[in-house]
Amino acid sequence: MTTIAAGAAMLPDSDKAAKSEERFSDKVYGILLDRLVRLHYQPLQPLNERELTTELDIGLAPIREALRRLEGEHLVVIYPRRGIFAADIGLRDQQSIKEIRLEIEGLAASLAAIRATTQERQSLMKFAEKLVEERDISLQIAGDAEFHRRIYRMARNDYLAAMLTQNFNLALRLWYFCNQSAPSQSPEAVDHRPLAVAILGGDSEAARGLMRAHVAHDSDRVRDLLFKSAG
Protein backbone atom coordinates (compact mmCIF):
# COMPACT_ATOMS: atom_id res chain seq x y z
CA MET A 1 0.00 0.00 0.00
CA THR A 2 1.20 3.49 -0.83
CA THR A 3 0.72 5.84 2.10
CA ILE A 4 0.55 9.61 1.73
CA ALA A 5 1.38 11.50 4.90
CA ALA A 6 0.24 15.05 5.55
CA GLY A 7 2.60 17.77 6.73
CA ALA A 8 1.86 19.59 9.99
CA ALA A 9 1.23 23.04 8.56
CA MET A 10 0.63 25.88 11.02
CA LEU A 11 -2.73 27.07 9.66
CA PRO A 12 -5.92 28.39 11.22
CA ASP A 13 -8.32 25.53 12.01
CA SER A 14 -10.84 26.73 9.44
CA ASP A 15 -8.25 26.44 6.65
CA LYS A 16 -6.65 23.15 7.61
CA ALA A 17 -9.16 20.81 5.96
CA ALA A 18 -9.16 22.65 2.63
CA LYS A 19 -5.35 22.95 2.55
CA SER A 20 -4.84 19.30 3.51
CA GLU A 21 -7.22 18.15 0.78
CA GLU A 22 -5.37 20.30 -1.75
CA ARG A 23 -2.02 18.80 -0.75
CA PHE A 24 -3.43 15.28 -0.90
CA SER A 25 -4.88 15.95 -4.33
CA ASP A 26 -1.52 17.20 -5.61
CA LYS A 27 0.28 14.12 -4.31
CA VAL A 28 -2.32 11.74 -5.72
CA TYR A 29 -2.15 13.60 -9.01
CA GLY A 30 1.64 13.13 -9.12
CA ILE A 31 1.39 9.41 -8.41
CA LEU A 32 -1.34 8.78 -10.99
CA LEU A 33 0.36 10.99 -13.58
CA ASP A 34 3.58 8.98 -13.30
CA ARG A 35 1.69 5.69 -13.55
CA LEU A 36 -0.28 6.80 -16.59
CA VAL A 37 2.75 8.16 -18.44
CA ARG A 38 4.86 5.08 -17.71
CA LEU A 39 1.96 2.77 -18.64
CA HIS A 40 1.53 1.20 -15.24
CA TYR A 41 -2.07 1.68 -16.33
CA GLN A 42 -2.45 0.43 -19.89
CA PRO A 43 -4.53 2.37 -22.46
CA LEU A 44 -8.26 1.91 -21.78
CA GLN A 45 -7.59 0.17 -18.45
CA PRO A 46 -10.39 0.92 -15.95
CA LEU A 47 -9.47 3.04 -12.92
CA ASN A 48 -11.65 2.32 -9.90
CA GLU A 49 -11.94 5.21 -7.47
CA ARG A 50 -12.72 3.00 -4.48
CA GLU A 51 -9.78 0.72 -5.17
CA LEU A 52 -7.49 3.75 -5.46
CA THR A 53 -8.63 5.08 -2.09
CA THR A 54 -7.63 1.76 -0.50
CA GLU A 55 -4.37 1.45 -2.41
CA LEU A 56 -3.24 5.02 -1.70
CA ASP A 57 -4.78 5.17 1.78
CA ILE A 58 -6.54 8.45 1.09
CA GLY A 59 -10.09 9.77 0.88
CA LEU A 60 -12.30 9.82 -2.18
CA ALA A 61 -12.38 13.61 -2.70
CA PRO A 62 -8.64 14.03 -3.47
CA ILE A 63 -8.78 10.99 -5.79
CA ARG A 64 -11.65 12.50 -7.74
CA GLU A 65 -9.98 15.90 -7.94
CA ALA A 66 -6.77 14.35 -9.27
CA LEU A 67 -8.67 12.30 -11.85
CA ARG A 68 -10.52 15.41 -13.05
CA ARG A 69 -7.18 17.17 -13.54
CA LEU A 70 -5.85 14.19 -15.49
CA GLU A 71 -8.97 14.15 -17.63
CA GLY A 72 -8.31 17.78 -18.51
CA GLU A 73 -4.79 16.77 -19.55
CA HIS A 74 -6.11 13.98 -21.80
CA LEU A 75 -4.56 11.19 -19.76
CA VAL A 76 -7.84 9.69 -18.52
CA VAL A 77 -11.38 9.64 -19.91
CA ILE A 78 -14.47 9.74 -17.72
CA TYR A 79 -17.74 8.33 -19.02
CA PRO A 80 -20.86 8.99 -16.93
CA ARG A 81 -22.34 5.73 -15.62
CA ARG A 82 -19.59 3.73 -17.36
CA GLY A 83 -16.47 4.57 -15.41
CA ILE A 84 -12.98 6.04 -15.63
CA PHE A 85 -10.33 4.72 -18.00
CA ALA A 86 -6.73 5.41 -18.93
CA ALA A 87 -6.79 7.31 -22.23
CA ASP A 88 -6.30 5.40 -25.44
CA ILE A 89 -3.27 5.92 -27.69
CA GLY A 90 -3.54 6.41 -31.45
CA LEU A 91 -1.93 7.92 -34.52
CA ARG A 92 -4.26 10.92 -34.52
CA ASP A 93 -3.07 11.75 -30.99
CA GLN A 94 0.53 11.59 -32.13
CA GLN A 95 -0.03 14.04 -35.00
CA SER A 96 -1.97 16.51 -32.86
CA ILE A 97 0.69 16.49 -30.15
CA LYS A 98 3.41 16.98 -32.75
CA GLU A 99 1.71 20.04 -34.23
CA ILE A 100 1.48 21.75 -30.84
CA ARG A 101 4.94 20.79 -29.62
CA LEU A 102 6.67 22.04 -32.76
CA GLU A 103 5.54 25.56 -31.91
CA ILE A 104 5.77 25.71 -28.13
CA GLU A 105 9.00 23.71 -27.77
CA GLY A 106 10.65 25.91 -30.37
CA LEU A 107 9.49 29.00 -28.49
CA ALA A 108 10.80 27.62 -25.19
CA ALA A 109 14.23 26.94 -26.67
CA SER A 110 14.34 30.43 -28.17
CA LEU A 111 13.43 32.05 -24.84
CA ALA A 112 15.91 29.86 -22.98
CA ALA A 113 18.71 31.09 -25.27
CA ILE A 114 17.79 34.65 -24.30
CA ARG A 115 16.91 34.30 -20.61
CA ALA A 116 19.03 31.51 -19.14
CA THR A 117 21.77 32.30 -16.65
CA THR A 118 25.39 31.51 -17.44
CA GLN A 119 25.34 28.70 -14.89
CA GLU A 120 22.19 27.18 -16.43
CA ARG A 121 23.71 27.28 -19.92
CA GLN A 122 26.91 25.60 -18.80
CA SER A 123 25.02 22.97 -16.80
CA LEU A 124 22.80 22.19 -19.80
CA MET A 125 25.88 21.73 -21.98
CA LYS A 126 27.46 19.30 -19.52
CA PHE A 127 24.19 17.38 -19.25
CA ALA A 128 23.95 17.07 -23.06
CA GLU A 129 27.52 15.79 -23.24
CA LYS A 130 26.74 13.13 -20.65
CA LEU A 131 23.40 12.14 -22.19
CA VAL A 132 24.86 11.44 -25.65
CA GLU A 133 26.93 8.62 -24.13
CA GLU A 134 23.86 6.88 -22.64
CA ARG A 135 22.74 3.67 -24.37
CA ASP A 136 20.06 2.33 -22.06
CA ILE A 137 16.69 3.21 -23.65
CA SER A 138 14.91 3.85 -20.33
CA LEU A 139 17.67 6.17 -19.18
CA GLN A 140 17.69 7.87 -22.57
CA ILE A 141 13.97 8.63 -22.25
CA ALA A 142 14.44 9.90 -18.70
CA GLY A 143 17.46 11.98 -19.74
CA ASP A 144 15.63 13.51 -22.69
CA ALA A 145 12.75 14.43 -20.38
CA GLU A 146 15.13 16.13 -17.95
CA PHE A 147 16.81 18.06 -20.78
CA HIS A 148 13.44 19.42 -21.88
CA ARG A 149 12.43 20.31 -18.33
CA ARG A 150 15.62 22.30 -17.88
CA ILE A 151 14.81 24.32 -20.99
CA TYR A 152 11.28 24.96 -19.72
CA ARG A 153 12.68 26.41 -16.51
CA MET A 154 15.22 28.48 -18.42
CA ALA A 155 12.47 30.00 -20.60
CA ARG A 156 11.11 31.84 -17.52
CA ASN A 157 7.44 31.70 -18.54
CA ASP A 158 5.11 29.86 -16.17
CA TYR A 159 2.14 29.90 -18.54
CA LEU A 160 4.21 28.41 -21.33
CA ALA A 161 5.75 25.87 -18.94
CA ALA A 162 2.31 24.53 -18.04
CA MET A 163 1.49 23.92 -21.72
CA LEU A 164 4.91 22.43 -22.38
CA THR A 165 4.68 20.02 -19.46
CA GLN A 166 1.19 18.81 -20.34
CA ASN A 167 2.05 18.09 -23.96
CA PHE A 168 5.44 16.62 -23.12
CA ASN A 169 3.76 14.15 -20.75
CA LEU A 170 1.50 13.03 -23.60
CA ALA A 171 4.49 12.65 -25.91
CA LEU A 172 6.43 10.79 -23.22
CA ARG A 173 3.54 8.38 -22.76
CA LEU A 174 3.71 7.65 -26.50
CA TRP A 175 7.42 6.91 -26.16
CA TYR A 176 6.84 4.48 -23.33
CA PHE A 177 4.08 2.82 -25.32
CA CYS A 178 6.32 2.39 -28.37
CA ASN A 179 9.19 1.09 -26.25
CA GLN A 180 6.82 -1.43 -24.68
CA SER A 181 5.24 -2.51 -27.98
CA ALA A 182 8.35 -2.54 -30.16
CA PRO A 183 11.50 -2.15 -28.03
CA SER A 184 14.55 -1.00 -29.96
CA GLN A 185 17.52 -3.34 -29.91
CA SER A 186 19.93 -0.56 -30.88
CA PRO A 187 18.55 2.80 -29.73
CA GLU A 188 19.84 5.98 -31.32
CA ALA A 189 22.06 8.24 -29.27
CA VAL A 190 20.24 11.25 -27.81
CA ASP A 191 22.41 14.09 -29.02
CA HIS A 192 21.27 17.48 -27.75
CA ARG A 193 24.74 19.01 -27.96
CA PRO A 194 24.03 21.30 -30.95
CA LEU A 195 20.95 22.68 -29.19
CA ALA A 196 22.88 23.13 -25.97
CA VAL A 197 25.62 24.98 -27.90
CA ALA A 198 23.03 27.33 -29.43
CA ILE A 199 21.57 28.10 -26.00
CA LEU A 200 25.05 28.47 -24.52
CA GLY A 201 25.84 31.05 -27.20
CA GLY A 202 22.52 32.88 -26.87
CA ASP A 203 21.49 32.10 -30.47
CA SER A 204 17.71 32.10 -30.10
CA GLU A 205 16.85 31.41 -33.75
CA ALA A 206 19.26 28.48 -33.99
CA ALA A 207 17.87 27.11 -30.73
CA ARG A 208 14.31 27.37 -32.05
CA GLY A 209 15.17 25.59 -35.29
CA LEU A 210 17.14 22.82 -33.62
CA MET A 211 14.38 22.15 -31.10
CA ARG A 212 11.75 22.01 -33.85
CA ALA A 213 13.92 19.56 -35.79
CA HIS A 214 14.33 17.40 -32.68
CA VAL A 215 10.59 17.34 -31.98
CA ALA A 216 9.79 16.53 -35.61
CA HIS A 217 12.36 13.74 -35.73
CA ASP A 218 11.20 12.08 -32.53
CA SER A 219 7.52 12.50 -33.42
CA ASP A 220 8.08 10.84 -36.79
CA ARG A 221 9.89 7.94 -35.09
CA VAL A 222 6.90 7.48 -32.79
CA ARG A 223 4.55 7.56 -35.78
CA ASP A 224 6.57 4.85 -37.53
CA LEU A 225 6.65 2.69 -34.40
CA LEU A 226 2.89 3.11 -33.93
CA PHE A 227 2.34 1.96 -37.52
CA LYS A 228 4.62 -1.00 -36.87
CA SER A 229 2.84 -2.01 -33.66
CA ALA A 230 -0.56 -1.72 -35.37
CA GLY A 231 0.51 -3.86 -38.32
Side-chain angles (χ1 to χ4, degrees):
M1 176 182 294
T2 302
T3 302
I4 300 177
M10 296 298 292
L11 296 168
D13 290 343
S14 59
D15 292 340
K16 283 185 179 179
K19 291 297 183 181
S20 294
E21 184 171 308
E22 182 180 343
R23 288 198 302 274
F24 284 146
S25 177
D26 288 341
K27 290 178 181 179
V28 171
Y29 166 81
I31 292 169
L32 297 181
L33 171 65
D34 186 70
R35 292 181 179 184
L36 287 159
V37 168
R38 295 175 182 269
L39 298 180
H40 175 85
Y41 303 128
Q42 292 295 303
L44 298 180
Q45 179 177 334
L47 302 175
N48 185 284
E49 292 176 337
R50 298 291 178 183
E51 291 178 359
L52 288 171
T53 62
T54 301
E55 180 183 352
L56 301 179
D57 192 25
I58 194 170
L60 190 57
I63 296 286
R64 287 178 171 168
E65 176 60 28
L67 289 170
R68 282 195 294 268
R69 287 176 63 184
L70 292 164
E71 180 190 29
E73 295 176 10
H74 307 288
L75 286 165
V76 304
V77 289
I78 301 176
Y79 298 111
R81 295 180 297 280
R82 285 184 54 194
I84 303 169
F85 303 84
D88 199 4
I89 285 177
L91 286 168
R92 182 176 296 179
D93 301 319
Q94 179 274 330
Q95 180 61 27
S96 296
I97 295 166
K98 174 185 175 181
E99 290 170 356
I100 294 170
R101 292 188 67 230
L102 279 173
E103 302 304 325
I104 62 175
E105 292 273 357
L107 174 59
S110 175
L111 292 175
I114 297 169
R115 297 174 176 174
T117 66
T118 299
Q119 183 178 357
E120 286 173 328
R121 297 171 197 271
Q122 293 173 346
S123 178
L124 187 73
M125 190 72 242
K126 291 178 181 178
F127 188 82
E129 289 171 344
K130 182 178 178 180
L131 180 58
V132 74
E133 303 296 331
E134 183 57 64
R135 290 298 179 268
D136 181 276
I137 184 64
S138 296
L139 295 177
Q140 284 183 338
I141 293 174
D144 179 70
E146 174 59 20
F147 186 87
H148 281 266
R149 292 187 186 106
R150 290 187 181 209
I151 289 177
Y152 302 167
R153 292 193 293 269
M154 292 157 64
R156 303 284 193 281
N157 186 317
D158 291 341
Y159 297 100
L160 178 61
M163 295 176 60
L164 289 160
T165 300
Q166 177 179 332
N167 284 279
F168 186 84
N169 285 335
L170 294 170
L172 191 57
R173 185 169 183 251
L174 286 170
W175 265 116
Y176 277 110
F177 180 78
C178 290
N179 187 49
Q180 174 183 275
S181 304
S184 175
Q185 301 303 314
S186 54
E188 296 181 10
V190 180
D191 191 357
H192 286 311
R193 291 174 298 178
L195 176 53
V197 167
I199 292 174
L200 181 66
D203 191 336
S204 61
E205 287 308 306
R208 184 193 299 269
L210 287 164
M211 179 61 91
R212 285 176 60 91
H214 163 65
V215 170
H217 175 264
D218 280 7
S219 297
D220 290 345
R221 285 177 63 195
V222 167
R223 178 202 60 203
D224 294 343
L225 288 169
L226 287 172
F227 269 122
K228 182 179 178 180
S229 65

